[in-house]
Amino acid sequence: MNKTQIKETKGKLLAERDASIQKLKGSDLSVDDAETPDPVDLAVRNYSKNVQLAVSENESKQLVLIDEALLRIEDDAYGTCLNCEKEINPKRLAAIPWARYCLDCQSLQERGLLDQE
Ligand SMILES: [Zn+2]
């Protein structure tokens, strides 16, 4: 990756980071309910609460990945697979700028066959 690409990627990551933080803030605000709702209402609210929790869990995980990617940019280690240390396909990085692994290692990780995490 050249400097321009790194700069663009950094911009993308920072924008994603902001968006994630906004989403997390948004889901915090909507999780308070003062009135006593009827059962149907309650079920709906519980459902949307669960969805929100799932969303914020995903968002916080993504935030960690984004922060890690930004650190790798600072360390000049960006774009290298954390497992096999090969270069990650630029197309993959364009789609998922916070990717930690190359495609091969990612599929290992998804099957729980990777040591890290
Ligand atoms: Zn790899």
Side-chain angles (χ1 to χ4, degrees):
M1 266 202 179
N2 64 37
K3 279 207 170 124
T4 320
Q5 284 168 314
I6 289 280
K7 220 177 153 186
E8 273 175 22
T9 309
K10 196 174 172 180
K12 235 195 248 180
L13 283 165
L14 288 171
E16 282 291 338
R17 195 174 184 276
D18 276 353
S20 287
I21 290 171
Q22 288 309 320
K23 274 189 217 165
L24 281 171
K25 275 190 191 158
S27 57
D28 274 351
L29 283 176
S30 44
V31 180
D32 67 323
D33 34 347
E35 313 154 46
T36 320
D38 66 56
V40 177
D41 214 21
L42 197 64
V44 171
R45 284 191 200 204
N46 278 340
Y47 173 75
S48 61
K49 228 185 234 183
N50 286 340
V51 170
Q52 275 163 6
L53 283 179
V55 167
S56 29
E57 209 187 297
N58 278 337
E59 289 301 328
S60 347
K61 274 186 197 157
Q62 181 161 325
L63 208 52
V64 172
L65 291 178
I66 291 173
D67 278 342
E68 282 184 1
L70 285 166
L71 282 176
R72 289 200 292 278
I73 287 181
E74 298 305 322
D75 289 347
D76 274 333
Y78 184 78
T80 307
C81 174
L82 290 189
N83 185 55
C84 66
E85 292 176 2
K86 278 185 207 150
E87 223 175 284
I88 301 175
N89 187 326
K91 275 187 194 155
R92 174 165 161 73
L93 285 175
I96 315 167
W98 51 86
R100 291 162 134 184
Y101 303 115
C102 67
L103 266 182
D104 288 346
C105 296
Q106 180 68 44
S107 74
L108 288 178
Q109 198 243 348
E110 277 161 14
R111 281 181 284 156
L113 299 174
L114 215 65
D115 288 343
Q116 293 138 302
E117 210 228 347

